[in-house]
Structures are given as C-alpha cells and as structure tokens.
Amino acid sequence: MKQNYAVIGLGLFGSSIVNTLLEHDQEVLVIDKSEARVNEFRDRATEAIVADTQNELALNQLGIGNFDNVFVAIGTDLEASIMTTMICEELGVKNLICKAENARHAKVLEKLGADEVIQPERDMGQRIALHVMEPKILNDLKLKGELSVIEFELTNPKLFNKTLKELNLTNRYKISVIALSHADENGAIIPNQSTITKPGDIVTIIGTEKDVEAFEAVATA
C-alpha cells in the first residue's frame, strides 16, 4: 500500500532513503537547508523544499504532521536533529524515524518520542562483523524485543525435498519461515505448509534471537 513520506536531511543517509523510496514509486517530500542538496531531487521527488526544520512554523506549513512516515536524517548537527524531532513529535507525526550519531544522542531522541532510532555506522559495523563471522547469513535484522529475522541458504541435505509441514519447524525449532526463494526461480515467495524445500533455497526466518541462531546452525550444517 502506498504511503507518503518526508525525509528531512539530504546527506548520504537521507539521500539513500529518498532514492530507495522513489525507486518503489512512493510519494516523498524532501527537506534540507541546503539548496544544492534539495535541487538534486527537485525533478524526482513529489516536493522538494529548502527550509530550516528547527522552525516550527515552517514544518507546520508543510503539513508535516499529516505524513505517514517522517525520517529525521540530519547528520552531525545534533541541535537541529533534536529540535526537529521534538517539533515533529509535537505536530503529531505518526511514525517518526530518526538518525542518531551515538548512544547518548539516541537516548535523547527516544525520550523525545521517536518511534525508531537508527545508528547507521553502528548498525552497519555490526552487520559486517556478523557477516565475516557467519558468511552463510545473507541478512540479519533485529526487531524490537527479542525477535530476530535472518536470511540464509539452506545447505543441510536433511532439510531438502520436504514440505514445511513435514519439517514442522515451528514446533521443532520455534521459528517460522516467512519467505523462501528457489535457486531455479526468480523472486521470493511467501511459503505455505505444502511448500517443498530444494537445494540452494534461500530462506528468511523469524523467531527469538536464540531460536533463530539455533536453527541457522542446523540448517547450514
């Protein structure tokens, strides 16, 4: 379902978010105090605005509180990041995602009401380290609470050529397969109990971090 998005701050992180949203045909308002950065998206974004987002009146006039999702992707200007986050929260933004430079900055943004706080360098560092330690894991996502989602290739022959019902993974390993792609087909599918596993399958599973790691060790043995 198409939603509308606003991205405040068009540095490397913010620009990457905008490009991804536009590639998926989403409606995106981009805002930055730099006219040069805004001009890079003027012909592609739904609307591109030069503004000081520490100005509550400016954000109110842009209707920022009516957006489904707002990214505060401001970089090293911590004051601007904090003030912008506070104003967005006061204006009633539904889903507020903010970039933090460090753990202390993240705590402040959380207390101000950010729904999600991202530390890109920390998160990327963790992901690279995990990939080096566990090269079979293609993707790893930690959710709120104890839940984790990982994607990897099935390499254990004992799991090949069986239906998910036969494997009974939910009862045996306390995990669920939420996506699966066969090596000989394009794209992933949402599997059901009759889906048959094949050599080279890429699976995406969800469960507690402990259970996910336990099954990954079995599935890639």
Side-chain angles (χ1 to χ4, degrees), residues 3 6 24 46 74 89 92 102 106 128 134 169 182 203-204 211 221:
Q3 296 187 322
H24 288 79
T46 308
I74 296 172
E89 174 64 19
N102 51 54
I128 291 172
E134 297 286 351
L169 301 178
H182 298 307
V203 296
T204 304
D211 292 333

Side-chain angles (χ1 to χ4, degrees), residues 10 30-45 47-51:
L10 298 175
V30 300
I31 308 170
D32 198 284
K33 63 182 179 181
S34 166
E35 185 172 2
R37 288 180 175 176
V38 170
N39 285 339
E40 292 179 13
F41 294 98
R42 198 171 294 281
D43 295 332
R44 299 169 54 216
E47 193 171 5
I49 301 294
V50 178

